[in-house]
Amino acid sequence: MTHPTVIKLHDGNVMPQLGLGVWQASNEEVVTAIHKAIEVGYRSIDTAAAYKNESGVGKAIHSAGVAREDLFITSKLWNDSHLRAADALQESLEHLQLDYLDLYLIHWPVPASDHYIQAWKALIDLQKQGW
């Protein structure tokens, strides 16, 4: 996997088509999994606040021996944080020990709470601010 296929996103950025998802992996397990994935050529890692393993992902990224700009890191805004997107993003960045994410998604729109449009607008504002 020396030249992974990339997908062009709506804003012009590109992301690797194939990535490692770390759902249900502990903070300890993700370190080993991410190191192995990077070793075999993965450059995209997908986590989320709800997975409770962002700290392990951050540890793995920092100890993997690959430059941050060569990785594509995704995390997600959890359902109970739609009205506090900026704070939730900052918390994820702190857990991940990163200055930025390449992609930050709404994990689930939760139509019953009806805050997903506010969350979406907040994520757009965060992107415009350089987050």
Side-chain angles (χ1 to χ4, degrees):
M1 221 169 35
T2 57
H3 299 287
T5 303
V6 296
I7 296 171
K8 188 173 183 180
L9 302 175
H10 179 71
D11 65 0
N13 286 308
V14 296
M15 70 179 284
Q17 186 174 17
L18 184 63
L20 176 69
V22 296
W23 180 54
Q24 293 188 322
S26 70
N27 278 303
E28 295 76 27
E29 291 168 328
V30 296
V31 175
T32 303
I34 289 169
H35 284 176
K36 188 61 173 177
I38 287 173
E39 179 185 316
V40 299
Y42 282 72
R43 293 298 179 262
S44 179
I45 301 163
D46 179 291
T47 188
Y51 300 170
K52 307 284 189 217
N53 60 17
E54 288 177 321
S55 295
V57 171
K59 180 179 178 182
I61 290 167
H62 286 283
S63 61
V66 174
R68 167 63 182 98
E69 59 272 11
D70 293 337
L71 298 172
F72 192 96
I73 309 300
T74 300
S75 194
K76 300 172 203 77
L77 177 68
W78 186 234
N79 303 350
D80 63 1
S81 298
H82 285 188
L83 296 178
R84 50 179 296 282
D87 290 337
L89 171 59
Q90 188 59 43
E91 290 166 9
S92 285
L93 290 170
E94 288 172 11
H95 290 138
L96 291 161
Q97 304 169 55
L98 298 176
D99 295 326
Y100 67 96
L101 290 172
D102 298 285
L103 184 62
Y104 193 51
L105 302 170
I106 296 172
H107 204 129
W108 181 251
V110 194
S113 72
D114 199 31
H115 299 302
Y116 56 94
I117 293 175
Q118 291 165 282
W120 173 69
K121 287 180 179 180
L123 295 188
I124 291 170
D125 288 341
L126 287 168
Q127 185 187 34
K128 286 178 182 176
Q129 294 170 27
W131 288 96

